[in-house]
Amino acid sequence: MKNLVLPCLLVIGIGFQSCKNEEKQKEAEAAKAEAETVISSECYQSVYEKDTIALKLNTLKNGKLTGNMIMKVAPSTVRTGEVAGEFHGDTLFIDYTFKDNVNKDKTFKNPMALLKRDKQLILGNGTMQTTMGVTYLVKDKPIDFENVKYKFDSAECADKK
């Protein structure tokens, strides 16, 4: 009889511990979903010669930004994808993950820096480097926000999502 008591207590203890772990995991998932709740959306558009870029940014409760961007670059390239990033001071650093109409099966990812000045976002030109397949802006090289093509102005959002 004593031999059965110890294994039963062990099984019961493991059962209680797994229930606690499951509760903690559910709480962590709920907290993550809460942090990723969209609290506001803003849309921007930039036109340069025959190029048009539409950008939608969703501000999340945790302060990060997500959204989408469509780049129509003359004469025929159209890049459609998603952006994700966050502000560091007045500069928004995002990763643009996209596909274009030429290489439909291939996904590309580019870093971008946008300076918020008044009600405008200015797409900067910076030195990019690729290491082990990952492209990033070189940290010790300045980003030029003066000699640029694309300046985004506020625009009406096409959809209210």
Side-chain angles (χ1 to χ4, degrees), residues 51-92:
D51 301 347
T52 304
I53 304 174
L55 173 64
K56 179 177 181 182
L57 293 175
N58 301 312
T59 304
L60 306 179
K61 196 167 187 177
N62 63 7
K64 297 192 182 210
L65 290 122
T66 62
N68 53 55
M69 184 160 49
I70 300 170
M71 297 180 79
K72 295 178 182 173
V73 183
S76 63
T77 303
V78 178
R79 298 177 181 133
T80 304
E82 297 179 353
V83 296
E86 61 187 319
F87 273 99
H88 293 274
D90 59 356
T91 306
L92 172 60

Side-chain angles (χ1 to χ4, degrees), residues 31-152:
K32 183 179 176 187
E34 175 72 20
E36 293 177 352
T37 302
V38 175
I39 58 172
S40 68
S41 293
E42 294 178 277
C43 294
Y44 296 90
Q45 184 172 359
S46 177
V47 178
Y48 178 79
E49 293 176 357
K50 294 183 180 181
D51 301 347
T52 304
I53 304 174
L55 173 64
K56 179 177 181 182
L57 293 175
N58 301 312
T59 304
L60 306 179
K61 196 167 187 177
N62 63 7
K64 297 192 182 210
L65 290 122
T66 62
N68 53 55
M69 184 160 49
I70 300 170
M71 297 180 79
K72 295 178 182 173
V73 183
S76 63
T77 303
V78 178
R79 298 177 181 133
T80 304
E82 297 179 353
V83 296
E86 61 187 319
F87 273 99
H88 293 274
D90 59 356
T91 306
L92 172 60
F93 291 95
I94 58 173
D95 285 319
Y96 179 39
T97 306
F98 65 94
K99 291 185 179 187
D100 66 23
N101 61 342
V102 178
N103 302 304
K104 293 178 181 162
D105 297 333
K106 193 170 183 182
T107 301
F108 301 91
K109 187 172 186 175
N110 281 346
M112 294 181 163
L114 296 126
L115 177 67
K116 185 158 189 152
R117 188 180 292 158
D118 299 321
K119 293 186 181 245
Q120 228 177 20
L121 290 176
I122 302 167
L123 180 59
N125 296 317
T127 305
M128 287 194 233
Q129 183 174 344
T130 302
T131 304
M132 297 178 62
V134 177
T135 304
Y136 57 92
L137 292 165
V138 179
K139 287 187 180 184
D140 57 347
K141 301 277 183 172
I143 299 170
D144 179 16
F145 292 105
E146 297 303 319
N147 302 310
V148 297
K149 289 182 182 180
Y150 304 112
K151 293 184 178 182
F152 294 83

